[in-house]
Short mmCIF file of all heavy atoms in Angstrom, two decimals:
data_model
loop_
_atom_site.label_atom_id
_atom_site.label_comp_id
_atom_site.label_asym_id
_atom_site.label_seq_id
_atom_site.Cartn_x
_atom_site.Cartn_y
_atom_site.Cartn_z
N SER A 167 105.32 110.45 108.44
CA SER A 167 104.59 111.44 109.24
C SER A 167 105.12 111.45 110.68
O SER A 167 105.17 112.50 111.32
CB SER A 167 103.09 111.19 109.19
OG SER A 167 102.71 110.20 110.11
N GLN A 168 105.52 110.29 111.17
CA GLN A 168 106.16 110.22 112.50
C GLN A 168 107.47 110.99 112.49
O GLN A 168 107.76 111.76 113.40
CB GLN A 168 106.44 108.75 112.87
CG GLN A 168 105.19 107.92 113.11
CD GLN A 168 104.43 108.36 114.35
OE1 GLN A 168 105.03 108.56 115.40
NE2 GLN A 168 103.13 108.56 114.21
N ILE A 169 108.27 110.76 111.44
CA ILE A 169 109.60 111.38 111.37
C ILE A 169 109.48 112.91 111.26
O ILE A 169 110.19 113.65 111.95
CB ILE A 169 110.41 110.82 110.18
CG1 ILE A 169 110.64 109.31 110.35
CG2 ILE A 169 111.77 111.53 110.07
CD1 ILE A 169 111.18 108.61 109.10
N CYS A 170 108.56 113.39 110.40
CA CYS A 170 108.50 114.84 110.21
C CYS A 170 107.58 115.52 111.23
O CYS A 170 107.50 116.75 111.28
CB CYS A 170 108.08 115.19 108.78
SG CYS A 170 106.36 114.87 108.40
N GLY A 171 106.91 114.72 112.05
CA GLY A 171 106.12 115.28 113.14
C GLY A 171 104.80 115.90 112.70
O GLY A 171 104.25 116.76 113.38
N ILE A 172 104.29 115.47 111.53
CA ILE A 172 102.98 115.96 111.08
C ILE A 172 102.01 114.78 111.11
O ILE A 172 102.00 113.93 110.21
CB ILE A 172 103.06 116.58 109.66
CG1 ILE A 172 103.97 117.81 109.70
CG2 ILE A 172 101.66 116.96 109.14
CD1 ILE A 172 104.24 118.44 108.36
N GLU A 173 101.22 114.72 112.19
CA GLU A 173 100.33 113.58 112.34
C GLU A 173 99.14 113.64 111.40
O GLU A 173 98.74 112.63 110.83
CB GLU A 173 99.85 113.49 113.79
CG GLU A 173 100.69 112.50 114.60
CD GLU A 173 100.41 112.61 116.07
OE1 GLU A 173 99.23 112.50 116.46
OE2 GLU A 173 101.38 112.83 116.84
N ASP A 174 98.58 114.86 111.23
CA ASP A 174 97.39 115.00 110.39
C ASP A 174 97.80 115.19 108.93
O ASP A 174 97.65 116.26 108.36
CB ASP A 174 96.52 116.16 110.89
CG ASP A 174 95.11 116.10 110.30
OD1 ASP A 174 94.89 115.25 109.40
OD2 ASP A 174 94.26 116.90 110.72
N PHE A 175 98.31 114.11 108.34
CA PHE A 175 98.79 114.25 106.96
C PHE A 175 97.63 114.43 105.98
O PHE A 175 97.81 114.99 104.91
CB PHE A 175 99.68 113.06 106.55
CG PHE A 175 99.11 111.72 106.85
CD1 PHE A 175 98.17 111.14 106.03
CD2 PHE A 175 99.54 111.00 107.96
CE1 PHE A 175 97.65 109.90 106.30
CE2 PHE A 175 99.03 109.74 108.25
CZ PHE A 175 98.07 109.19 107.42
N GLY A 176 96.44 113.98 106.37
CA GLY A 176 95.26 114.18 105.50
C GLY A 176 94.97 115.66 105.31
O GLY A 176 94.67 116.12 104.21
N ALA A 177 95.08 116.44 106.41
CA ALA A 177 94.84 117.88 106.33
C ALA A 177 95.89 118.56 105.45
O ALA A 177 95.58 119.43 104.63
CB ALA A 177 94.85 118.49 107.73
N LEU A 178 97.15 118.13 105.59
CA LEU A 178 98.21 118.70 104.75
C LEU A 178 97.97 118.35 103.28
O LEU A 178 98.15 119.18 102.39
CB LEU A 178 99.58 118.17 105.21
CG LEU A 178 100.79 118.60 104.38
CD1 LEU A 178 100.91 120.12 104.29
CD2 LEU A 178 102.08 118.01 104.96
N GLY A 179 97.49 117.13 103.05
CA GLY A 179 97.17 116.70 101.68
C GLY A 179 96.10 117.59 101.07
O GLY A 179 96.22 118.05 99.93
N MET A 180 95.06 117.88 101.84
CA MET A 180 93.98 118.75 101.33
C MET A 180 94.50 120.15 101.06
O MET A 180 94.11 120.79 100.08
CB MET A 180 92.82 118.80 102.34
CG MET A 180 91.82 117.67 102.24
SD MET A 180 91.21 117.35 100.57
CE MET A 180 90.16 118.77 100.34
N GLU A 181 95.39 120.63 101.94
CA GLU A 181 95.98 121.96 101.74
C GLU A 181 96.73 122.00 100.40
O GLU A 181 96.63 122.96 99.64
CB GLU A 181 96.93 122.23 102.91
CG GLU A 181 97.06 123.69 103.30
CD GLU A 181 98.08 123.87 104.43
OE1 GLU A 181 98.21 122.96 105.28
OE2 GLU A 181 98.75 124.92 104.45
N MET A 182 97.47 120.93 100.12
CA MET A 182 98.20 120.83 98.86
C MET A 182 97.26 120.86 97.65
O MET A 182 97.52 121.53 96.66
CB MET A 182 98.99 119.51 98.80
CG MET A 182 100.32 119.54 99.49
SD MET A 182 100.97 117.88 99.71
CE MET A 182 100.47 117.04 98.24
N PHE A 183 96.17 120.09 97.75
CA PHE A 183 95.25 120.05 96.61
C PHE A 183 94.49 121.36 96.45
O PHE A 183 94.05 121.69 95.35
CB PHE A 183 94.31 118.84 96.71
CG PHE A 183 94.97 117.59 96.19
CD1 PHE A 183 95.60 116.71 97.05
CD2 PHE A 183 95.02 117.33 94.82
CE1 PHE A 183 96.25 115.57 96.57
CE2 PHE A 183 95.67 116.20 94.33
CZ PHE A 183 96.29 115.32 95.21
N LYS A 184 94.36 122.13 97.54
CA LYS A 184 93.75 123.46 97.39
C LYS A 184 94.70 124.40 96.65
O LYS A 184 94.27 125.20 95.82
CB LYS A 184 93.35 124.02 98.75
CG LYS A 184 92.05 123.39 99.22
CD LYS A 184 91.50 123.99 100.49
CE LYS A 184 90.28 123.20 100.94
NZ LYS A 184 90.26 122.95 102.37
N VAL A 185 95.99 124.27 96.93
CA VAL A 185 96.99 125.05 96.18
C VAL A 185 96.92 124.67 94.70
O VAL A 185 96.95 125.52 93.81
CB VAL A 185 98.42 124.79 96.73
CG1 VAL A 185 99.47 125.42 95.84
CG2 VAL A 185 98.55 125.31 98.15
N LYS A 186 96.79 123.36 94.45
CA LYS A 186 96.71 122.84 93.09
C LYS A 186 95.47 123.35 92.36
O LYS A 186 95.44 123.43 91.14
CB LYS A 186 96.60 121.31 93.15
CG LYS A 186 97.73 120.59 92.48
CD LYS A 186 97.50 119.10 92.53
CE LYS A 186 98.61 118.41 91.77
NZ LYS A 186 98.58 116.97 91.94
N SER A 187 94.42 123.66 93.13
CA SER A 187 93.13 124.05 92.54
C SER A 187 93.07 125.51 92.13
O SER A 187 92.05 125.96 91.62
CB SER A 187 92.00 123.78 93.53
OG SER A 187 92.00 122.43 93.91
N GLN A 188 94.13 126.27 92.39
CA GLN A 188 94.09 127.68 92.03
C GLN A 188 94.39 127.85 90.54
O GLN A 188 95.51 127.68 90.10
CB GLN A 188 95.07 128.48 92.90
CG GLN A 188 94.53 128.68 94.31
CD GLN A 188 95.58 129.10 95.30
OE1 GLN A 188 96.67 129.51 94.92
NE2 GLN A 188 95.25 129.00 96.57
N VAL A 189 93.34 128.16 89.79
CA VAL A 189 93.49 128.28 88.33
C VAL A 189 93.16 129.68 87.83
O VAL A 189 93.33 129.97 86.65
CB VAL A 189 92.63 127.24 87.58
CG1 VAL A 189 93.04 125.83 87.98
CG2 VAL A 189 91.14 127.46 87.85
N GLN A 190 92.68 130.54 88.73
CA GLN A 190 92.30 131.90 88.30
C GLN A 190 93.52 132.68 87.81
O GLN A 190 94.59 132.62 88.44
CB GLN A 190 91.64 132.66 89.46
CG GLN A 190 90.13 132.50 89.53
CD GLN A 190 89.71 131.13 90.04
OE1 GLN A 190 90.44 130.54 90.83
NE2 GLN A 190 88.57 130.63 89.58
N GLY A 191 93.35 133.37 86.71
CA GLY A 191 94.42 134.21 86.20
C GLY A 191 95.55 133.46 85.51
O GLY A 191 96.56 134.04 85.16
N VAL A 192 95.38 132.14 85.33
CA VAL A 192 96.40 131.35 84.65
C VAL A 192 95.89 131.05 83.23
O VAL A 192 94.72 130.74 83.04
CB VAL A 192 96.66 130.03 85.41
CG1 VAL A 192 97.80 129.26 84.78
CG2 VAL A 192 96.97 130.30 86.89
N SER A 193 96.77 131.18 82.24
CA SER A 193 96.33 131.00 80.85
C SER A 193 95.94 129.54 80.60
O SER A 193 96.42 128.62 81.28
CB SER A 193 97.44 131.40 79.89
OG SER A 193 98.48 130.45 79.91
N ALA A 194 95.09 129.33 79.60
CA ALA A 194 94.65 127.98 79.24
C ALA A 194 95.86 127.10 78.92
O ALA A 194 95.95 125.96 79.37
CB ALA A 194 93.69 128.05 78.06
N ARG A 195 96.81 127.65 78.16
CA ARG A 195 97.98 126.84 77.76
C ARG A 195 98.80 126.41 78.97
O ARG A 195 99.26 125.26 79.05
CB ARG A 195 98.85 127.64 76.78
CG ARG A 195 100.05 126.89 76.24
CD ARG A 195 99.67 125.62 75.50
NE ARG A 195 98.79 125.82 74.36
CZ ARG A 195 99.20 125.98 73.11
NH1 ARG A 195 100.49 125.95 72.82
NH2 ARG A 195 98.33 126.14 72.14
N GLU A 196 98.95 127.33 79.91
CA GLU A 196 99.73 127.01 81.11
C GLU A 196 99.04 125.89 81.91
O GLU A 196 99.69 125.00 82.45
CB GLU A 196 99.87 128.26 81.97
CG GLU A 196 101.12 128.27 82.85
CD GLU A 196 101.25 129.58 83.61
OE1 GLU A 196 101.18 130.65 82.97
OE2 GLU A 196 101.41 129.53 84.83
N LEU A 197 97.71 125.94 81.95
CA LEU A 197 96.97 124.91 82.68
C LEU A 197 97.08 123.54 81.99
O LEU A 197 97.28 122.52 82.63
CB LEU A 197 95.50 125.31 82.83
CG LEU A 197 95.24 126.46 83.80
CD1 LEU A 197 93.78 126.89 83.73
CD2 LEU A 197 95.61 126.08 85.23
N ILE A 198 96.97 123.56 80.65
CA ILE A 198 97.06 122.29 79.91
C ILE A 198 98.44 121.66 80.10
O ILE A 198 98.58 120.45 80.25
CB ILE A 198 96.77 122.52 78.41
CG1 ILE A 198 95.30 122.91 78.21
CG2 ILE A 198 97.11 121.27 77.59
CD1 ILE A 198 94.98 123.41 76.81
N LEU A 199 99.46 122.51 80.13
CA LEU A 199 100.84 121.99 80.20
C LEU A 199 101.35 121.80 81.62
O LEU A 199 102.46 121.33 81.83
CB LEU A 199 101.80 122.91 79.43
CG LEU A 199 101.53 123.06 77.93
CD1 LEU A 199 102.59 123.96 77.30
CD2 LEU A 199 101.52 121.70 77.23
N ARG A 200 100.55 122.16 82.63
CA ARG A 200 101.03 122.12 84.02
C ARG A 200 101.48 120.72 84.43
O ARG A 200 102.49 120.52 85.08
CB ARG A 200 99.94 122.64 84.96
CG ARG A 200 100.42 122.74 86.38
CD ARG A 200 99.37 123.34 87.29
NE ARG A 200 99.40 124.80 87.27
CZ ARG A 200 98.52 125.55 87.93
NH1 ARG A 200 97.56 125.00 88.65
NH2 ARG A 200 98.61 126.87 87.90
N ASP A 201 100.68 119.72 84.06
CA ASP A 201 101.05 118.32 84.34
C ASP A 201 100.76 117.54 83.06
O ASP A 201 99.79 116.83 82.95
CB ASP A 201 100.25 117.80 85.53
CG ASP A 201 100.52 116.32 85.82
OD1 ASP A 201 101.44 115.75 85.20
OD2 ASP A 201 99.80 115.74 86.63
N TYR A 202 101.64 117.74 82.07
CA TYR A 202 101.40 117.24 80.71
C TYR A 202 102.44 116.18 80.36
O TYR A 202 103.62 116.35 80.66
CB TYR A 202 101.51 118.42 79.74
CG TYR A 202 101.42 118.07 78.27
CD1 TYR A 202 100.18 118.01 77.64
CD2 TYR A 202 102.57 117.82 77.52
CE1 TYR A 202 100.09 117.71 76.29
CE2 TYR A 202 102.47 117.52 76.18
CZ TYR A 202 101.24 117.47 75.57
OH TYR A 202 101.15 117.17 74.23
#
Side-chain angles (χ1 to χ4, degrees):
S167 83
Q168 292 293 313
I169 298 168
C170 72
I172 296 175
E173 263 168 55
D174 196 352
F175 49 80
L178 176 57
M180 275 311 287
E181 211 182 328
M182 277 166 36
F183 278 95
K184 281 186 186 137
V185 171
K186 242 183 176 172
S187 303
Q188 285 164 14
V189 300
Q190 270 74 30
V192 185
S193 72
R195 183 59 59 93
E196 207 176 309
L197 289 173
I198 292 169
L199 297 182
R200 185 176 275 177
D201 176 8
Y202 175 87

